[in-house]
Amino acid sequence: MSESENLWLRRTAILHQLTYKANTDTGRLFGYCLALSGDRDFFIGKAIGWALREYSKTDAGAVITFAEANEASLSPLSKREASLWLNGGRKKASAWPATAPP
């Protein structure tokens, strides 16, 4: 689905694990986020950030590691959305916290 020409199927591929928490398939989640990070559509960028933000509530360290390793690929929107919870609700697009929130 992440390779579909249909925007909404690509978006669904990213968001489909949104509520899995500890059962999230991180390989799939991070793989889709990275594969679609070059897509500059607003809804894709927002979905990437939303999925990463939600997973950061389960494993903040994994999201920080992924985001730092792929910071150049992620859009400013994706980075801002992904880091909202990690930054205590403060909107920072480029600075990832050094540690996970308590």
Side-chain angles (χ1 to χ4, degrees), residues 24-42:
T24 298
D25 180 341
T26 55
R28 181 171 293 188
L29 173 65
F30 294 151
Y32 286 170
C33 289
L34 188 56
L36 293 170
S37 64
D39 190 322
R40 295 301 173 208
D41 183 87
F42 170 83

Side-chain angles (χ1 to χ4, degrees), residues 17-18 20-27 29-30 50-68 82-83 85-86 96-97 99-102:
Q17 293 192 62
L18 209 53
Y20 283 82
K21 301 186 186 307
N23 294 319
T24 298
D25 180 341
T26 55
L29 173 65
F30 294 151
W50 181 13
L52 293 174
R53 180 179 68 240
E54 286 304 308
Y55 188 59
S56 76
K57 296 174 183 176
T58 299
D59 189 348
V63 172
I64 291 168
T65 299
F66 171 79
E68 287 177 342
S83 66
W85 189 81
L86 296 170
W96 296 97
T99 59

Side-chain angles (χ1 to χ4, degrees), residues 1-10 36 39:
M1 278 199 311
S2 69
E3 297 173 4
S4 173
E5 291 184 23
N6 185 307
L7 160 72
W8 303 110
L9 287 178
R10 291 193 313 273
L36 293 170
D39 190 322

Side-chain angles (χ1 to χ4, degrees), residues 14 33-34 36-53 63 66-67 70-71 73-84 86 92-94 96:
I14 298 165
C33 289
L34 188 56
L36 293 170
S37 64
D39 190 322
R40 295 301 173 208
D41 183 87
F42 170 83
F43 293 105
I44 297 297
K46 187 80 168 180
I48 290 170
W50 181 13
L52 293 174
R53 180 179 68 240
V63 172
F66 171 79
N70 299 289
E71 188 166 4
S73 298
L74 296 172
S75 72
L77 172 62
S78 295
K79 290 187 277 190
R80 183 175 57 250
E81 290 298 317
S83 66
L84 277 177
L86 296 170
K92 289 184 179 180
S94 60
W96 296 97

